[in-house]
Every structure is written in structure tokens, then in C-alpha cells.
Amino acid sequence: MRPAALLLALAPVAAFGQQIDRTQVPALEKPPALKLPTLERASLPNGVTLQLVQQHELPLVQVTLVIAGGTKLDARQPGLASFTTRMLTEGAGTRDANALQGELAFLGAQLFASAASDAFTISLNVPKRTLGEALDLLGDVVLRPTFRAADVRRQRDLRLASILQRRDNANVLASLAFSQAVFPAGHPYHQPTDGDSASTASLDSATVRAFYAQTFVPERAKFIIVGDVTVPEMRGLLARRFESWPRGTTARTMAAVTARPVANSAVKIYLVDKPNAAQSVIYLGAPGAERLSPDYPALMVMNTILGGSFSSRLMSNLRETKGYTYGITSRFSWAPLAGPFVISSSVRTGVTDSALVEVFKEVKMLRDLPVDATELERAKAYVALGVPQRFETIGQIAAQLVDLGTFSLPLASLGDFVAKVNQVTAADVQRVARQYLPAETATLVVVGDIAKIRAGIEALKLGSISVLDVQQVAR
């Protein structure tokens, strides 16, 4: 390129660069008004309810079947709910797993089944032109799973191998140890959703069939549909495939949860040894808050400031300033039963104690000092502007409806949430920080090379220290 032409090509870039004042943070604009989709309702002849949002921009349909229950129905066999749901796609109707996946691929469809703590979810994403054929597969998966003994044994052995591999994963060990410390035996969050080796070893086809018959019942089911369809269309399509779904005569009951999370009177530290580990995994937290708490908007803003965004205080301090870690986050787990509040990170072994000093410092600062106006407004905008982003795809819309349904919240509650976020004050942030952030009562789990990190942690005099056995944590 000739010099004159090169200068001409660079001129707009230089002029553009001169217009930017990089010493000033860009001004925040007021979030646009939230536009929520219209939700239509209907029911099938057998009583199964149906919620539908029409989205005609693309010829796609997302069908999500939600059945109340989930892992809270495990009772004395942890992992049974998630294993049964996993087996749904291992064979259904006249198809084995390979045939089922092959037909889904031929139809351009994706089908997933999972179990959360409170519900089973089977989701189907499919082009509208193959919707009918894909619903045939969904009907087989939900109503006619085969649960062949050989398939159950194969998946059981794979799960046992996966459980054994937990002992080599420091992040998994930290999560398991933290849950076991904060939630006592008998609480739904004490065990991982896929159970332990003892409960898995006893799984067989008869056990899975019995659990399925007691839990996959139409009385607890509802369809959530989003896409290029109407209520009459979907009502007819679903009725033809699910009208034969028998009502459960011996549905498994959902027992009330009586076990309470552990409330520490002082900081408790649990160390899990990972010899020669280059990094230490830190989990620090406490029992969290309920999703329906009136403090929810203020908690979302407070957590955004602490560790819920890339520009949070924890990230700025431990990653950008100190260089202790690639990333650190804080979060509340929102579920019908209050989940934990957790700060988690992986830090270099040699700075484990220094990182803990900074984490506790940030927690105490948020409790002791009010946030300034700029930081508060940025956090509120971050939370409020995140709501419209949840409605960009049919899958996201369906996920929002599933999430709201978990808490029996109407779609309009999201508008109320945004309004309340915009009303959060610095005093609100400090109040919920003092109430919910653990400084003197935290549960702290550190998975790392104990020979190298214990002395430094002891010198901090944070609280009592216990050492957990890896095989007991990941049993």
C-alpha cells in the first residue's frame, strides 16, 4: 500500500481514538422498559397443564416438560432420581439409545432429561417442520422408557467410575466438603444429586422402574412451550401423544424437610489434602437466603458488587491487583429451600493465606462501609439490564418460565423485580451485607497441599481447623 493510501486508511481510526477519554467511565443510560412476552394457558384432557409463548421469528419450537419432584424424592437412596432421569434416554419405545439419538439427529432435534432438587425436566428443541415426529420420540421417552437391565448395569458402572474420579478433582472435593459441612445429613443439599458409591452400587432395573412409576405422574406435570406454534396446535399434538398417560395411584410423597442448615457460632475451617497441588481451591460461605425473601433485589445488587460480575471487588482485588487467581466469584444458590452463599476461587498454593486475608477484608469492607453512588448505580444497571437478556432465545424464555414456576411466581414479577432493583439504596446494600455475609461465622473449605498451606492458614487465627479425609468427602 502506498504511503498516502496508508495514511488515508488510518485517519478515521486516529480520529476516532482522539475522541475517547479513557480516564472517564462511560455514563450509564437508564435501562429500557422491560417488555415481557404474553403467556397463554391451556390444559390437556387428562389434566396436564400447558403454558405457551408464541415466538414466530424463527420456525423453531422448544417443548419443556416439568414434573415436580426431583432429587427430594430420593429418600434413602441418594442419586436415584438423577439416575432414573438419565436412563430415560438410554432406550424408549422400540428404540435403544443409539437409535433414539440417530432419529433425533435426523429430525434436527435435541432432547435432554435432567433432575434438579425439586423437579424432573425433559426438554425438546426442534424445527417446526419435524415437530410431530419429534413429539413421538418425546412421548416414548416420557411414557415408555425401557430401563433394560443391561443398560442400567452399564450406566451404573459408568456412574461409579465418575464418582471415584471426584477424588482427583479439587473443585469437586471443595464443593462436596462445603455442602456436607453446611447442610446436615437428611437435608436435600447434603449429598450431590448423583448420590454416592454405596447408593449407586445397589441400583438395578427393578429399583429404577419402581421409582419411575411413583414419580413420573401426570398430576405433577406441566408443559412449557415457546416457539412458532399456537395453543390449539400444541394442545392437539400433545393430547394425541400424552392422553394415555396413566394417573399415578401410588405416587411417592414429598416429605417435609426438617433438617436445618448449620449455623456456625465462629469460623470453621476444613482442609482437604491434595499433595503437590499447584493451586488451592477455596470455598467460603454460609447458609444463604430464600428466593422469595424481600431482600432478594438488594442481595442481587450487593452480590454483584462483591463477586457477582467481572468488575466486582473480589475480582478487581485478587485478580487484577494482587494476581492471586484467574478468577473469583460469589453467588447465592436460589432454590425453594434456601441454598448456600459461596465465595469460590482457585489461587496459587503459595498465596493461599494471603488470598484468604483479602477475601475476608472485602467481605468486612462491604459490611462496614457504604458503597459509593457510582458503584451502586453500576451494580443496579448490571442486574436490571440482565433481565431482558434472559428472553433472547426460545430456550432462554422457556428456562425463565421454568425458573419462575419453581417459585410459583408470575411472569410479571420480573417487572416488579427490576423496579425494586432500581430502588435499592446504599443503606440496603450494607444492611443485607451485614445480615447475610459471613465474616465471623463462615464455613471455609480449602483443598490443597496441606504441608504447604496449613501453617499460613493457622497463623491467620481465623477459627478452628479440621482435616477431612478425601475418601470420606467423595465416598
Side-chain angles (χ1 to χ4, degrees):
M1 183 179 293
R2 293 180 299 175
L6 179 61
L7 289 174
L8 185 62
L10 294 176
V13 176
F16 178 73
Q18 291 171 357
Q19 295 174 359
I20 298 176
D21 182 358
R22 299 188 187 278
T23 65
Q24 299 297 318
V25 177
L28 290 173
E29 298 183 359
K30 186 177 180 181
L34 178 63
K35 295 180 180 178
L36 296 171
T38 301
L39 183 63
E40 301 174 82
R41 301 175 187 275
S43 61
L44 303 182
N46 62 357
V48 177
T49 60
L50 187 157
Q51 299 180 359
L52 187 143
V53 172
Q54 296 190 37
Q55 292 283 306
H56 299 290
E57 293 181 5
L58 294 172
L60 298 172
V61 182
Q62 171 92 21
V63 180
T64 304
L65 175 63
V66 181
I67 304 173
T71 60
K72 69 166 54 172
L73 298 176
D74 277 342
R76 296 181 179 179
Q77 192 158 10
L80 178 55
S82 66
F83 187 80
T84 301
T85 312
R86 174 69 184 86
M87 290 305 305
L88 293 178
T89 55
E90 286 300 305
T94 59
R95 306 168 184 84
D96 62 15
N98 290 332
L100 181 63
Q101 293 303 321
E103 289 196 35
L104 287 167
F106 180 76
L107 298 173
Q110 294 178 309
L111 189 150
F112 302 99
S114 62
S117 61
D118 298 282
F120 307 98
T121 302
I122 302 96
S123 62
L124 173 71
N125 188 288
V126 60
K128 183 175 181 179
R129 61 182 171 77
T130 57
L131 175 60
E133 296 94 327
L135 287 176
D136 289 339
L137 299 181
L138 178 65
D140 278 350
V141 165
V142 175
L143 305 182
R144 290 170 288 278
T146 55
F147 298 135
R148 291 178 59 242
D151 294 333
V152 171
R153 286 196 297 272
R154 176 170 49 83
Q155 287 299 326
R156 181 191 63 200
D157 291 345
L158 289 173
R159 175 168 286 195
L160 285 170
S162 174
I163 290 172
L164 183 63
Q165 289 167 344
R166 293 173 183 166
R167 297 174 184 173
D168 193 43
N169 189 317
N171 287 288
V172 174
L173 286 171
S175 176
L176 291 173
F178 182 83
S179 295
Q180 291 166 12
V182 173
F183 300 103
H187 194 286
Y189 304 154
H190 180 76
Q191 291 274 25
T193 57
D194 52 357
D196 55 34
S197 56
S199 63
T200 300
S202 62
L203 290 172
D204 58 24
S205 182
T207 303
V208 173
R209 286 177 187 278
F211 182 80
Y212 164 83
Q214 294 175 339
T215 53
F216 280 70
V217 293
E219 301 93 298
R220 296 175 180 169
K222 66 178 176 183
F223 283 102
I224 294 174
I225 302 109
V226 184
D228 187 20
V229 287
T230 64
V231 167
E233 283 180 273
M234 284 307 302
R235 193 172 184 275
L237 289 168
L238 292 174
R240 287 198 293 276
R241 292 163 177 85
F242 288 89
E243 62 185 359
S244 63
W245 194 353
R247 299 180 68 84
T249 55
T250 56
R252 183 173 287 214
T253 57
M254 301 185 196
V257 177
T258 56
R260 308 295 298 174
V262 176
N264 296 340
S265 57
V267 174
K268 290 187 177 180
I269 304 169
Y270 300 92
L271 302 182
V272 182
D273 198 15
K274 197 82 169 64
N276 301 317
Q279 294 189 100
S280 299
V281 177
I282 294 171
Y283 263 58
L284 184 149
E290 295 184 358
R291 169 66 175 84
L292 299 181
S293 165
D295 291 332
Y296 177 67
L299 286 169
M300 292 294 288
V301 175
M302 183 273 291
N303 186 59
T304 297
I305 294 170
L306 178 64
S309 64
F310 193 78
S311 59
S312 69
R313 292 185 178 187
L314 287 171
M315 188 72 96
S316 298
N317 183 348
L318 278 85
R319 174 190 159 98
E320 303 299 333
T321 303
K322 298 294 193 302
Y324 292 160
T325 178
Y326 285 115
I328 181 169
T329 64
S330 65
R331 59 194 176 278
F332 288 88
S333 295
W334 304 113
L337 290 174
F341 165 77
V342 179
I343 297 171
S344 63
S345 181
S346 296
V347 303
R348 288 184 285 115
T349 296
V351 298
T352 302
D353 51 352
S354 301
L356 290 174
V357 169
E358 297 303 319
V359 170
F360 276 97
K361 185 180 80 174
E362 293 296 346
V363 167
K364 290 178 180 177
M365 282 182 62
L366 202 50
R367 288 161 47 112
D368 296 342
L369 302 173
V371 297
D372 66 43
T374 300
E375 189 176 27
L376 176 63
E377 291 306 314
R378 290 176 63 187
K380 288 161 60 174
Y382 181 90
V383 176
L385 290 171
V387 176
Q389 294 176 356
R390 305 174 193 173
F391 293 88
E392 292 181 346
T393 69
I394 60 174
Q396 289 174 330
I397 297 172
Q400 282 301 295
L401 295 175
V402 170
D403 183 58
L404 291 170
T406 301
F407 302 101
S408 300
L409 290 171
L411 190 57
S413 66
L414 288 176
D416 297 336
F417 168 68
V418 172
K420 290 176 180 176
V421 165
N422 289 323
Q423 295 169 3
V424 171
T425 66
D428 293 329
V429 170
Q430 190 171 9
R431 176 181 60 79
V432 296
R434 288 175 172 171
Q435 183 174 348
Y436 295 96
L437 293 186
E440 295 83 17
T441 59
T443 293
L444 170 61
V445 173
V446 184
V447 181
D449 189 336
I450 289 182
K452 296 178 181 175
I453 64 176
R454 179 163 187 160
I457 295 174
E458 285 179 336
L460 300 178
K461 301 186 184 304
L462 296 170
S464 61
I465 295 179
S466 303
V467 177
L468 302 179
D469 181 74
V470 169
Q471 296 187 10
Q472 185 60 30
V473 173
R475 49 185 179 268

